[in-house]
Amino acid sequence: MRYQSIFRPDLFKGQVILVTGGGTGIGRAIAHELASLGAQVLLAARKLEPLEQTRDEIAAAHGSASVYLCNIRQEEQITALFAEILAEHGRLDALVNNAGGQFMSPAESISNKGWNAVVETNLTGTFMMCREAYNRCFRERGGRIVNIIVDMWRGFPGMAHTGAARAGVENLTKSLAVEWSRSGVLVNAVAPGLIEGNGILQYGEAMLPFIQAMKKDIPLKRMGTEAECAAAVTFLLSPAAAYISGETIKVDGAYSLWRKTWEIEDHENAPAAYGGFVD
Ligand code: ADE
């Protein structure tokens, strides 16, 4: 199995790129694509096994990846992560903040503990990663940050905590883009819509009817792929995106624009899904 990017093979040759949550789902696809383009990819997350599996997949495809355990809710673990990265690689060129987590619950049943856990992971953890990357690596020599958020433009019923946290990250992206422009740092975000893969299935069988119903509400009438998200991240990290900062690319098949007043019959006319991986 290898990753077939549309970008040129040596695009990130010599670059060191950190992907949080890089062992699974969209993070794994991002890691594969960047490694296939010559980057030394650093995979960080809380659980070792998925990280090692993705690292091994990348190595088997002749890419280069290494793994780091880090809970992004813990400031001292982030400090230690950057110390280790700089000791081992001496540089960091880009950071992809993909790690995140949430659970389904009606808003009225979310405890303070649950709320804080989700906000600490998705908003505070992302902020701490950005701050550390800037202070330790990007302030003097520039860099790129891409934050992965969600399609929360019309609220996020069923997961109000993550909607609020990701909306916070979208705004943080804009603030950092302006503040850190003086150092040549570009800060952008990618907002995936309904994406097929493990990410969506982790919420269990109860999610399946919801997914079917939601597909009807997507103008392109299909789910997106992890590779379609990875491609947007790759573009934002590429030299071609050198004049883009503070922006969010939605990868959602126009879901966020849909209005019930404009009827869209079921169809199969969406451009063919881009899968990234080939045998
Ligand atoms: N993935 C989900 N939650 C995480 C966390 N707290 N730290 C790192 N990766 C994560």
Side-chain angles (χ1 to χ4, degrees):
M1 180 192 65
R2 70 188 171 83
Y3 201 92
Q4 191 168 58
S5 176
I6 63 147
F7 295 89
R8 87 171 128 77
D10 60 351
L11 193 62
F12 298 115
K13 196 159 180 256
Q15 290 198 28
V16 179
I17 304 180
L18 172 59
V19 183
T20 66
T24 54
I26 292 171
R28 170 175 165 268
I30 294 168
H32 268 280
E33 178 152 27
L34 298 177
S36 79
L37 302 173
Q40 163 78 36
V41 179
L42 315 183
L43 310 168
R46 266 182 322 176
K47 294 187 195 131
L48 195 56
E49 211 223 303
L51 290 178
E52 288 182 333
Q53 194 173 326
T54 298
R55 176 199 60 196
D56 294 347
E57 288 170 3
I58 288 173
H62 309 294
S64 184
S66 39
V67 306
Y68 299 85
L69 273 183
C70 178
N71 182 347
I72 61 165
R73 286 168 65 184
Q74 305 295 332
E75 187 176 14
E76 66 283 359
Q77 290 193 27
I78 292 179
T79 310
L81 170 68
F82 278 86
E84 207 178 334
I85 288 171
L86 287 174
E88 283 175 15
H89 301 281
R91 63 187 285 164
L92 185 70
D93 298 281
L95 163 66
V96 181
N97 282 308
N98 166 76
Q102 53 273 313
F103 56 91
M104 289 192 72
S105 172
E108 64 272 25
S109 307
I110 301 176
S111 66
N112 276 15
K113 186 163 174 258
W115 175 272
N116 288 337
V118 171
V119 172
E120 279 170 21
T121 304
N122 297 298
L123 178 57
T124 313
T126 297
F127 167 68
M128 291 193 292
M129 288 295 297
C130 291
R131 187 189 59 197
E132 206 63 15
Y134 181 75
N135 286 333
R136 300 292 302 267
C137 310
F138 298 163
R139 185 202 302 265
E140 306 305 334
R141 37 188 310 273
R144 306 265 181 130
I145 298 174
V146 178
N147 296 320
I148 309 301
I149 57 173
V150 294
D151 203 323
M152 47 55 199
W153 314 103
R154 294 184 290 164
F156 210 81
M159 291 198 249
H161 39 26
T162 214
R166 308 308 185 117
V169 173
E170 196 253 346
N171 196 271
L172 175 69
T173 299
K174 294 174 179 163
S175 300
L176 300 184
V178 174
E179 288 199 28
W180 296 346
S181 61
R182 66 182 184 275
S183 297
V185 179
L186 306 181
V187 190
N188 290 292
V190 168
L194 188 65
I195 303 300
E196 50 186 297
N198 288 342
I200 196 88
L201 295 175
Q202 76 190 358
Y203 302 107
E205 296 271 304
M207 196 71 184
L208 295 177
F210 183 68
I211 293 172
Q212 288 312 322
M214 210 172 144
K215 259 199 256 182
K216 291 191 190 307
D217 288 348
I218 300 171
L220 283 180
K221 304 287 182 185
R222 70 162 170 87
M223 295 171 82
T225 67
E226 292 166 349
E228 287 163 341
C229 300
V233 174
T234 304
F235 166 67
L236 287 171
L237 294 176
S238 78
Y243 201 54
I244 300 177
S245 198
E247 196 49 74
T248 297
I249 298 183
K250 296 171 188 162
V251 183
D252 71 352
Y255 176 67
S256 52
L257 302 176
W258 170 81
R259 293 282 179 283
K260 272 227 150 60
T261 47
W262 184 266
E263 186 68 37
I264 303 170
E265 298 288 327
D266 274 352
H267 68 83
E268 295 188 354
N269 297 330
Y274 168 59
F277 294 96
V278 291
D279 287 329

